[in-house]
Amino acid sequence: MDLLQAYANNSDDDDQNHQPSDLSPDSSPPRLIPPKSAAPKVDDTMLALTAAKAHQSHSKPIDPTQHVVAINPTYDQLWAPIYGPAHPYAKDGIAQGMRNHKLGFVEDASIDSFVFDEQYNTFHKYGYAADPSGGNYIGDLDALQKNDAISVYNIPQHEQKKRKIEKKQEMEEDEAAGGEGEVDPTEVDNPASDVWLMKNKKSPWAGKKQGLQTELTEEQKKYAEEYAKKKEEKGHPGEKGEHVVDKTTFHGKEERDYQGRSWIAPPKDAKATNDHCYIPKRLVHTWSGHTKGVSAIRFFPKYGHLILSAGMDTKVKIWDVFNSGKCMRTYMGHSKAVRDISFCNDGTKFLTAGYDKNIKYWDTETGQVISTFSTGKIPYVVKLNPDEDKQNVLLAGMSDKKIVQWDINTGQITQEYDQHLGAVNTITFVDNNRRFVTSSDDKSLRVWEFGIPVVIKYISEPHMHSMPSISLHPNTNWLAAQSLDNQILIYSTRERFQLNKKKRFAGHIVAGYACQVNFSPDGRFVMSGDGEGKCWFWDWKSCKVFRTLKCHEGVCIGCEWHPLEQSKVATCGWDGLIKYW
């Protein structure tokens, strides 16, 4: 009660002046019980020290020179840069002296497999082996002293001789055992019996090779002859294309004029009169000189003052367009019909592809063959890369479904594009010559990144036919493809290479013939030859037939628009004529 009273008085006084009042002398003082812990008293000084040490060791980087690590280091420690004066150019802090590899410091920690096998086998045979971490030995040291520390692989000379003698004695004993007693002849022939094993210890195929058979049987002779014939027909891969002596004849008056200019030099006044193209109406000139059909014609690049023609009479001829209109030079280097021709950018050189499996690179002016290429297959199309800095790169579409890329300077094949399922017919460069489109007898179009033999776009539809001729529109946004179902299809050269369904040019009959398709220089007209000797002209915008000209007897296979004279067109046909309209 006294306690309660005291508490009440205390609280009242607190409220008044916050001063505790004196307790009555009779009341007992308040007792405060100290808190007690039930846990035993532990000296944690060592624990604190250990924790501090561990924390210190975990934060401290590892010394790269030490070989034994007493703690489990953290990832950060292992990859921490080495402290100390680092080399100013060493990015990761590894001093230059510590490096023995471009990625840092590499230490030999492996043991060669031969050394391991040697020590392993020595230990199992003699009971001792070299300790890999130092220069001493482990195992049976008495045996080590007795054997003079030899391993299984360096047996002393006298022991080797001993072994040879023992082997010889064994063999003699075996032979003696084989000779004694009667042997059952059935057992000798039975490979399952011990007798046969003893007799045929050596492999039945061991022993000297028999001499070569000198006489061939009739059957073998016949087969050898057939094989040789086949090889000749195919063209020996060593010889590849058929070899013909290259000849050339100049037909002009003189190779250089009074000013010393070459006969292939373009006239100085040759320039386009205006940008508008017109459809030709009448025949201007006819060049006749090929004894068989003409398979392709190409105007001299940029100027068109000369026209090159490839004939099925194995000859390639170049004709004058502006002045005399005569044949200027004949190039003879193929043994079979010439399939395709292609000028380089400046016209000083050109390529020819023949059915004799050869591709030849000619000098236009002198008629010299600079180089010859062949894979042993027929090239159907040849093209030089149009980039000025890649004029030494030749692409050829072959009859064995490949597009082969050569470096003309070295004569080496630098790339093969092998995805088509049929002979390759055309190669057309698009997208600033970074890509090229190829068509093939497999009725598909494939787009390739130049230099990379992986198809980046594959176009094949059920309604598609083979496309033996493709031409690029002057604005480089469209491709015209001659389809063998008697129409010309237009594809975009943008990313997706889509068929333009609104543009189709039809009316001509080309089924079965690789008639060339082409554009006028201003892109307003599309033209193509056809199987009946006509040359067709369509309007690009309306897709309507503008005009047809009856040009040749038989097939009109090639047509080219003159690069400068806007209303002039050259055509060639299988009647052996080249006509200028």
Side-chain angles (χ1 to χ4, degrees), residues 304-326:
H305 62 292
L306 299 168
I307 188 168
L308 189 69
S309 63
M312 296 179 189
D313 55 359
T314 76
K315 296 188 180 94
V316 176
K317 290 177 181 278
I318 194 162
W319 314 79
D320 182 53
V321 176
F322 279 178
N323 305 319
S324 61
K326 289 180 181 161

Side-chain angles (χ1 to χ4, degrees), residues 23-44:
L23 295 173
S24 65
D26 299 336
S27 63
S28 56
R31 279 170 292 176
L32 297 170
I33 301 160
K36 266 195 176 181
S37 168
K41 184 82 173 137
V42 175
D43 182 15
D44 54 0

Side-chain angles (χ1 to χ4, degrees), residues 310-386:
M312 296 179 189
D313 55 359
T314 76
K315 296 188 180 94
V316 176
K317 290 177 181 278
I318 194 162
W319 314 79
D320 182 53
V321 176
F322 279 178
N323 305 319
S324 61
K326 289 180 181 161
C327 177
M328 297 300 286
R329 195 182 267 286
T330 304
Y331 307 89
M332 294 161 281
H334 289 280
S335 59
K336 290 187 178 162
V338 183
R339 161 79 193 218
D340 192 31
I341 44 177
S342 174
F343 269 114
C344 71
N345 281 1
D346 58 1
T348 54
K349 299 172 188 72
F350 66 90
L351 287 163
T352 60
Y355 282 101
D356 58 357
K357 302 171 188 166
N358 283 328
I359 298 166
K360 300 208 171 189
Y361 190 46
W362 303 78
D363 186 300
T364 314
E365 186 179 352
T366 61
Q368 299 297 312
V369 172
I370 299 164
S371 41
T372 304
F373 309 94
S374 178
T375 62
K377 296 285 181 282
I378 298 167
Y380 282 158
V381 55
V382 283
K383 267 271 178 15
L384 284 170
N385 188 314

Side-chain angles (χ1 to χ4, degrees), residues 237 240-241 357 373-378 398 400 404 406 413 416:
K240 289 181 179 170
K357 302 171 188 166
F373 309 94
S374 178
T375 62
K377 296 285 181 282
I378 298 167
M398 313 301 280
D400 66 344
V404 184
W406 273 280
I413 292 176
E416 279 189 357

Side-chain angles (χ1 to χ4, degrees), residues 271-278 564-566:
K271 58 179 186 288
T273 46
N274 61 4
D275 297 336
H276 224 63
C277 290
Y278 303 95
L564 292 183
E565 300 207 1
Q566 281 79 8

Side-chain angles (χ1 to χ4, degrees), residues 144-197:
L144 176 75
Q145 283 179 338
K146 187 180 161 191
N147 291 325
D148 205 14
I150 59 160
S151 76
V152 283
Y153 291 148
N154 45 13
I155 300 163
Q157 205 75 27
H158 64 272
E159 203 157 310
Q160 284 182 10
K161 278 183 188 170
K162 201 167 140 190
R163 280 193 180 186
K164 277 184 187 170
I165 293 161
E166 279 173 12
K167 241 183 188 175
K168 207 173 186 185
Q169 281 173 350
E170 269 176 33
M171 282 174 76
E172 282 169 7
E173 280 168 19
D174 289 346
E175 279 171 19
E180 287 167 13
E182 289 296 313
V183 178
D184 188 358
T186 53
E187 276 196 1
V188 174
D189 296 334
N190 181 13
S193 67
D194 292 339
V195 181
W196 186 89
L197 281 171

